[in-house]
Amino acid sequence: MTRKEKILTTAFLMPALTIFTIFIFYPICKTFYLSFFQWNMISKNKKFIGLENYLNILQEEAIHKSLSNTFIYIGLLIILNFILPYVVAYILAFLVNKFKNFYRTMFFFPSIISLVVASLVFVWVFNPLIGPISIFYKILNLKTQFWLKTNGLVMILIALITAWKIFGYNLILLLAGILEIPSELIENAKLDKISNLQIFLYIVIPMTSSTALYVMVMTIVYGLQQIFVPINVLTQGGPNNGSTNLVYSIYQYAFTFFQTGRASALSIITMICFFILISIKIKVLEKGVYYEN
């Protein structure tokens, strides 16, 4: 590179690097620093306690519950926001002939709705007294469930809220990838009397695997970013930590209990865990990913 090219490259990179340094790199470094102290965000003095925050966090049962809830939530998201939109995208691409644009619009519409609004809508839908789900239970002579007050069910409800928000965006991405498959391949497969399931498994999935990998990773990342709102609006982590997760636990330590050191330590642990998880997924899954050309 010539000197002029180096100057231009640096000039173009500086805005992005500046924003990254101020809003991402510096906060991470500051969080790591605070994780070794006992501090309540009010006192001027910070007490250095070394690794005590990390050790205490790893021994707390509430954190174990948050961790298990987090992985359950991720599993539900992969089913609702990766596998399900993958199947729906295939149906829209090759099996539906009429009103395709209408279906795309309807599926994408929840993506533009606020999560607070979505949370309130689902509270009404799953209301044990007057909600549509409770009416359905009564028709089937089943016992009405209190979703927000029942361990297990509350985590499913939280996952449904965020899944409803993300579903349309993932569907559009996967549909775009599927529509890039040469139509001749699908037509030849149908002429050979290959079933739709086999076409999906052996043609669509391999040829859209690069898009699918991106969607899977973003489903996890975006899902963890979105989960805070429905928990904070509806349950505040209850009942008995049944809906809390690592993200909400960090918020509680920092802004409810004012234990900044523990919140920072849990943030670092969470970041490392999910960085390792996503890295392993990419490393394992990318071996079978198809990239055109």
Side-chain angles (χ1 to χ4, degrees):
M1 293 177 66
T2 64
R3 184 179 179 183
K4 183 179 179 181
E5 289 174 334
K6 289 180 180 179
I7 292 173
L8 285 173
T9 303
T10 304
F12 282 121
L13 287 174
M14 279 306 296
L17 288 174
T18 302
I19 293 171
F20 175 82
T21 302
I22 294 173
F23 294 103
I24 298 178
F25 184 73
Y26 173 74
I28 289 175
C29 293
K30 187 69 174 181
T31 300
F32 182 71
Y33 167 77
L34 290 174
S35 68
F36 298 104
F37 290 85
Q38 187 180 57
W39 185 47
N40 61 4
M41 291 194 293
I42 299 173
S43 173
K44 293 182 179 180
N45 300 319
K46 304 181 186 70
K47 181 182 178 182
F48 179 79
I49 57 176
L51 296 174
E52 187 175 330
N53 284 324
Y54 292 92
L55 296 175
N56 290 337
I57 283 173
L58 294 175
Q59 294 173 1
E60 288 190 14
E61 291 185 8
I63 298 302
H64 298 163
K65 181 68 174 177
S66 295
L67 184 62
S68 64
N69 284 343
T70 302
F71 283 108
I72 291 170
Y73 172 73
I74 290 173
L76 291 171
L77 275 190
I78 289 174
I79 294 170
L80 297 172
N81 281 137
F82 176 66
I83 297 175
L84 186 57
Y86 216 154
V87 175
V88 174
Y90 171 69
I91 293 171
L92 286 178
F94 298 118
L95 302 182
V96 174
N97 297 319
K98 296 181 180 180
F99 307 113
K100 286 188 177 184
N101 291 332
F102 172 77
Y103 293 132
R104 292 178 194 177
T105 304
M106 288 299 99
F107 280 124
F108 187 76
F109 181 73
S111 300
I112 65 175
I113 295 176
S114 165
L115 259 178
V116 175
V117 175
S119 300
L120 296 177
V121 168
F122 271 80
V123 167
W124 170 74
V125 171
F126 287 88
N127 186 294
L129 299 178
I130 61 172
I133 299 297
S134 66
I135 296 173
F136 182 72
Y137 276 129
K138 290 175 183 177
I139 293 172
L140 297 177
N141 292 322
L142 297 175
K143 183 181 178 182
T144 302
Q145 299 294 326
F146 291 80
W147 288 75
L148 290 176
K149 301 296 182 182
T150 307
N151 270 309
L153 291 180
V154 66
M155 205 66 233
I156 295 174
L157 180 58
I158 296 295
L160 285 173
I161 294 170
T162 53
W164 189 62
K165 169 79 172 174
I166 304 170
F167 185 91
Y169 178 74
N170 287 358
L171 174 67
I172 296 300
L173 289 177
L174 291 166
L175 183 59
I178 291 173
L179 291 175
E180 289 296 318
I181 299 173
S183 58
E184 295 83 3
L185 283 175
I186 306 299
E187 291 172 3
N188 291 335
K190 289 182 177 179
L191 288 174
D192 291 335
K193 297 183 179 180
I194 296 175
S195 67
N196 288 317
L197 178 60
Q198 289 175 315
I199 292 173
F200 179 69
L201 294 176
Y202 301 119
I203 297 178
V204 173
I205 290 179
M207 297 198 70
T208 59
S209 52
S210 57
T211 304
L213 179 62
Y214 169 79
V215 171
M216 178 183 284
V217 172
M218 291 309 298
T219 295
I220 297 172
V221 174
Y222 193 58
L224 289 173
Q225 290 175 343
Q226 296 292 323
I227 192 174
F228 174 81
V229 173
I231 292 177
N232 195 45
V233 170
L234 302 180
T235 66
Q236 293 78 49
N240 296 323
N241 294 319
S243 63
T244 192
N245 73 334
L246 293 177
V247 175
Y248 194 75
S249 294
I250 293 168
Y251 167 80
Q252 283 186 313
Y253 275 130
F255 301 107
T256 302
F257 308 135
F258 295 100
Q259 298 177 355
T260 309
R262 289 197 177 189
S264 300
L266 185 56
S267 299
I268 297 298
I269 292 171
T270 303
M271 182 186 69
I272 292 172
C273 286
F274 286 102
F275 179 78
I276 293 171
L277 176 65
I278 292 175
S279 298
I280 291 172
K281 278 191 173 183
I282 293 175
K283 188 174 181 180
V284 172
L285 296 176
E286 199 170 31
K287 292 179 181 179
V289 169
Y290 167 79
Y291 292 103
E292 189 174 358
N293 300 323

